[in-house]
Amino acid sequence: MPKKRGYHHGNLRQALVEAALQLIEVRGPTGFTLSEAAKQAGVTPAAVYRHFEGREDLIAEAARQGYEIFADLMQYAYDKGQPSALASFEATGRAYLAFARKYPGHYIAMFESGVPVNRTPELAKVAARARGVMERAANDLSQHIAPEKRPPPSMFSAHIWAMSHGVVELYARNSPGTQSPFSPEDLLETGIGVYLRGLGLIGQDA
Amino acid sequence: MPKKRGYHHGNLRQALVEAALQLIEVRGPTGFTLSEAAKQAGVTPAAVYRHFEGREDLIAEAARQGYEIFADLMQYAYDKGQPSALASFEATGRAYLAFARKYPGHYIAMFESGVPVNRTPELAKVAARARGVMERAANDLSQHIAPEKRPPPSMFSAHIWAMSHGVVELYARNSPGTQSPFSPEDLLETGIGVYLRGLGLIGQDA
DNA sequence: TGTACATCAGTGAACGCGCGTTCACTGATGTAC
DNA sequence: TGTACATCAGTGAACGCGCGTTCACTGATGTAC
């Protein structure tokens, strides 16, 4: 709990990140402004420059923290699914959607704010960590596929990543109009199910 | 070809839409401004208001035209695949990516500009038309699945939409960093392939 | 065919706004003695 | 424990900018007779 009293804020840097995340969540990636984030943190816009190089830098930090949480969540899901390769893989897919739901501000900062993932080395690194978890899960899983018909693990992790992202963007946002009778969770669950059956990894009754 | 000479533009409305599309493509959904679109069309910002209610209305029209092209393309792909339900389905999936590639400005206006799809009845209608083609393809295809294990067609059309959209957003944009060793086309092709195998619709050699 | 006039599609100046950023400053905090 | 001083983290005023939008206007076009 930052002490708001007094001239010095105490924890302004993080407070700004959180203000930014909240604004991004409510107003979209465009709606966010540095000035407003400052105001929401109870501080003058100029104060932001003590902690960040500018607007972009603030968003990038929000995205970085998002990737950090995201990677942790993926890792946790992976571990929880172990020792079953299949369970781990499914769990990481589900974690993707769960993250998007639980941390919408972070998600938008990461994927919709236009911040390039290799804007800074730290950002690139943590993003790679998240991707790494999914690829490891895919790699584990590919051991169970007959070698001659085994697609590259990075390929089917990309498939799941793409489907997850698509479900989030098209069906999990409150984008009115693209309504679907199915919940995003169902959509992703069944989608991954069909996909895994296509790989011959689960039976036809699953 | 609009006659640019003279006081009257001749075809300003469409020229503005095209200017907007080009700006959106180059600068992203955020980078586009009404003033700049006007300038690019060789006209004062105020002139825009003879043809559109404002900035939002201009984007919405760009999106609408995009959906129109998109729906036509989907329909064409569907027809071309006929009478094979499978060929039609695969073709519509591929058409999605092809559209995103060929009309990036339209694509961004449609999916990334934040214009809600039911902003106007016309927009909602044409978007529904596009979705309808894909659902018809899914429906045709579902006839080939044993009834008791047949998922709702609107569900697996949603899966393919999601995967297509995800591939476009994550791998087809020049979003540096999310580099993949596979082309978006390959990714989508193989993804759909695995998926269809999962539905039992194609053999293991396909 | 020529003229008068209504309509239309632009202009250009002006507006208020909020933005990101800079700067010299000052109040608060921490440290050395 | 108290004082002097350096450092730090804010302020607040100012900037230039481009935005979307409005308004009264005017030049171009089309039409009636």
Side-chain angles (χ1 to χ4, degrees), chain B:
Chain B
M1 179 113 282
K3 45 174 170 173
K4 289 275 295 180
R5 302 250 149 208
Y7 199 89
H8 286 191
H9 185 285
N11 195 16
L12 183 54
R13 184 180 166 88
Q14 191 54 29
L16 285 169
V17 171
E18 274 150 30
L21 284 168
Q22 197 181 322
L23 282 170
I24 288 172
E25 180 182 339
V26 173
R27 307 254 254 264
T30 314
F32 154 79
T33 67
L34 184 147
S35 300
E36 207 150 356
K39 195 198 294 182
Q40 192 154 320
V43 119
T44 282
V48 177
Y49 291 82
R50 291 281 165 209
H51 300 276
F52 298 97
E53 283 169 27
R55 182 197 139 88
E56 273 263 294
D57 193 36
L58 174 50
I59 302 178
E61 172 61 13
R64 193 196 63 75
Q65 294 190 10
Y67 272 111
E68 210 80 65
I69 298 169
F70 185 54
D72 288 347
L73 235 63
M74 298 283 274
Q75 183 68 56
Y76 179 80
Y78 174 87
D79 290 343
K80 212 173 168 190
Q82 288 293 88
S84 159
L86 183 61
S88 278
F89 189 81
E90 290 178 322
T92 52
R94 261 183 249 115
Y96 194 106
L97 181 54
F99 172 76
R101 276 235 189 272
K102 194 163 179 190
Y103 301 91
H106 289 96
Y107 192 88
I108 297 171
M110 290 154 68
F111 294 112
E112 298 173 39
S113 72
V115 174
V117 89
N118 40 13
R119 188 178 184 277
T120 67
E122 303 85 46
L123 190 55
K125 197 180 159 197
V126 65
R129 177 160 76 93
R131 211 174 326 122
V133 177
M134 180 116 241
E135 282 178 10
R136 189 164 351 119
N139 192 52
D140 293 353
L141 196 55
S142 82
Q143 303 307 319
H144 297 76
I145 308 178
E148 73 279 8
K149 51 184 290 199
R150 183 188 293 168
S154 66
M155 179 173 254
F156 65 87
S157 79
H159 287 148
I160 297 304
W161 261 77
M163 193 184 288
S164 305
H165 187 71
V167 166
V168 169
E169 294 291 329
L170 295 175
Y171 305 103
R173 287 268 175 280
N174 21 358
S175 61
T178 319
Q179 296 300 22
S180 164
F182 313 105
S183 76
E185 280 78 8
D186 280 355
L187 228 35
L188 186 57
E189 191 79 26
T190 54
I192 293 178
V194 172
Y195 182 86
L196 291 177
R197 212 170 306 156
L199 285 176
L201 287 164
I202 57 178
Q204 57 183 10
D205 50 275

Side-chain angles (χ1 to χ4, degrees), chain A residues 78-173:
Chain A
Y78 175 87
D79 290 343
K80 213 175 167 189
Q82 288 295 88
S84 159
L86 184 60
S88 278
F89 189 81
E90 290 179 322
T92 53
R94 261 183 248 116
Y96 193 107
L97 181 55
F99 172 76
R101 276 235 189 272
K102 195 163 180 190
Y103 302 92
H106 289 96
Y107 192 88
I108 297 171
M110 290 155 68
F111 294 112
E112 298 174 40
S113 72
V115 174
V117 90
N118 39 13
R119 188 178 186 278
T120 67
E122 303 86 44
L123 191 55
K125 195 181 162 198
V126 66
R129 177 160 76 93
R131 212 175 325 121
V133 176
M134 180 117 239
E135 281 178 11
R136 188 163 351 120
N139 192 51
D140 293 353
L141 196 54
S142 83
Q143 304 307 320
H144 296 76
I145 308 179
E148 73 278 7
K149 51 184 291 198
R150 183 188 293 169
S154 67
M155 180 172 254
F156 64 88
S157 79
H159 287 148
I160 296 305
W161 199 287
M163 193 185 288
S164 304
H165 188 72
V167 166
V168 169
E169 293 292 327
L170 295 175
Y171 305 104
R173 288 267 176 280

Side-chain angles (χ1 to χ4, degrees), chain A residues 13-68:
Chain A
R13 184 179 166 89
Q14 191 54 29
L16 285 169
V17 171
E18 273 151 32
L21 284 168
Q22 197 180 324
L23 282 170
I24 287 172
E25 180 182 338
V26 173
R27 307 254 253 264
T30 313
F32 153 80
T33 67
L34 183 148
S35 300
E36 207 151 357
K39 196 199 292 183
Q40 191 154 320
V43 121
T44 282
V48 177
Y49 290 81
R50 290 283 163 207
H51 300 277
F52 298 97
E53 282 168 29
R55 181 197 140 89
E56 274 263 294
D57 193 37
L58 175 49
I59 302 179
E61 171 60 14
R64 193 197 61 76
Q65 294 190 11
Y67 273 110
E68 210 78 66

